[in-house]
Amino acid sequence: MSYNPYSLEGKTILVTGASSGIGKATAVECSKLGAGVVITGRDEKRLSDTFSLLQGDSHIQLVADLGKEEDLSLLVNRLPALDGIAHIAGIVKTIPVTFLKKQDMQHLFDVNFFAPTLLTTGLLKQKKIRKPSSIVFISSIEGPLTVHPGNSVYSASKSAVQGMMRGLSVELASKKIRVNAVLPGMTDTPIIYGSEFTEGQLLSTKSQYPLKRAASPEEIAWAIIYFLSDASGFTTGASLVVDGGFTVL
């Protein structure tokens, strides 16, 4: 049976943060569904590892640190015309409020909010986002729906992403560019194991989820692909929560 409304055949998709975690899984899964994938990330070796896993051909690898304005501008100039964007690059930093410094807040917002926003506006100015097309932001349940001690700035950055997504969805609707967001819960990626939490704390957090586990990166990737595909053709300004039931409790 060949019918597949989630097919990405003929589409060129940009995936940021593709060197690991959700970004890596999204790039690989998009390639399996027929997309020509453009991957970008800071770490050239890890990005090359992802590139080696992509199925099919017509893929492009571009090393860039989206937290640096010069890299962002260079990336915009080098990118081809796109049918979809998955803004996945992001960082997590746990900082209690009493220890907050402006440079920490700036860095979190530079990567989590300003980078995807400025990348989008740069591509729009250069008319590199086709009509129709789809833009997907990775937000989080942390900020828009939940908050935990030490995560105030991260939560604020993800809440800002939500506001930008909603605004863009209205502004770009006339151009037939859809804009949506995926809000993951805890996901088994290197980013959580490189955090300040112990293995015991991570296991305790997983036990709080009704499904008693974290998501796999592929499970988040499949939600992103829904928005990138024509299956979501009448969906814009939406926030898809993929959190194993955590926010139901």
Side-chain angles (χ1 to χ4, degrees), residues 130-184:
R130 292 190 176 115
K131 307 172 187 179
S133 61
S134 172
I135 300 172
V136 187
F137 287 88
I138 285 292
S139 181
S140 173
I141 60 170
E142 190 78 354
L145 299 174
T146 66
V147 68
H148 292 88
N151 272 355
S152 296
V153 180
Y154 175 79
S155 297
S157 71
K158 290 302 187 178
S159 296
V161 167
Q162 282 295 103
M164 181 57 65
M165 177 276 291
R166 288 167 60 85
L168 286 174
S169 72
V170 174
E171 289 194 47
L172 300 180
S174 63
K175 300 179 184 295
K176 301 187 186 304
I177 299 173
R178 299 181 294 106
V179 190
N180 297 285
V182 173
L183 282 64

Side-chain angles (χ1 to χ4, degrees), residues 9 27 30 73 149 167 182 248:
E9 288 283 347
C30 283
S73 297
V182 173
V248 175

Side-chain angles (χ1 to χ4, degrees), residues 22-155:
I22 295 171
K24 180 177 184 177
T26 300
V28 172
E29 294 303 303
C30 283
S31 74
K32 290 179 181 178
L33 287 164
V37 185
V38 183
I39 61 171
T40 187
R42 293 177 297 172
D43 189 309
E44 185 172 5
K45 183 182 183 304
R46 291 192 299 160
L47 196 64
S48 295
D49 290 342
T50 300
F51 194 80
S52 70
L53 298 173
L54 301 180
Q55 296 189 14
D57 49 23
S58 302
H59 306 306
I60 301 172
Q61 172 183 326
L62 298 172
V63 178
D65 183 347
L66 300 186
K68 296 179 179 178
E69 197 169 331
E70 59 272 22
D71 278 25
L72 195 61
S73 297
L74 184 61
L75 179 63
V76 169
N77 291 331
R78 296 174 67 189
L79 284 169
L82 302 168
D83 302 288
I85 305 170
H87 288 299
I88 301 173
I91 57 172
V92 176
K93 190 171 181 64
T94 302
I95 314 170
V97 170
T98 52
F99 294 99
L100 284 178
K101 296 179 181 178
K102 184 176 181 180
Q103 58 263 39
D104 293 321
M105 293 187 281
Q106 187 69 55
H107 186 48
L108 273 162
F109 268 82
D110 280 346
V111 177
N112 292 353
F113 175 72
F114 289 114
T117 301
L118 293 173
L119 178 54
T120 299
T121 58
L123 290 168
L124 287 167
K125 288 175 183 176
Q126 292 201 17
K127 302 186 185 304
K128 288 190 173 182
I129 304 178
R130 292 190 176 115
K131 307 172 187 179
S133 61
S134 172
I135 300 172
V136 187
F137 287 88
I138 285 292
S139 181
S140 173
I141 60 170
E142 190 78 354
L145 299 174
T146 66
V147 68
H148 292 88
N151 272 355
S152 296
V153 180
Y154 175 79
S155 297

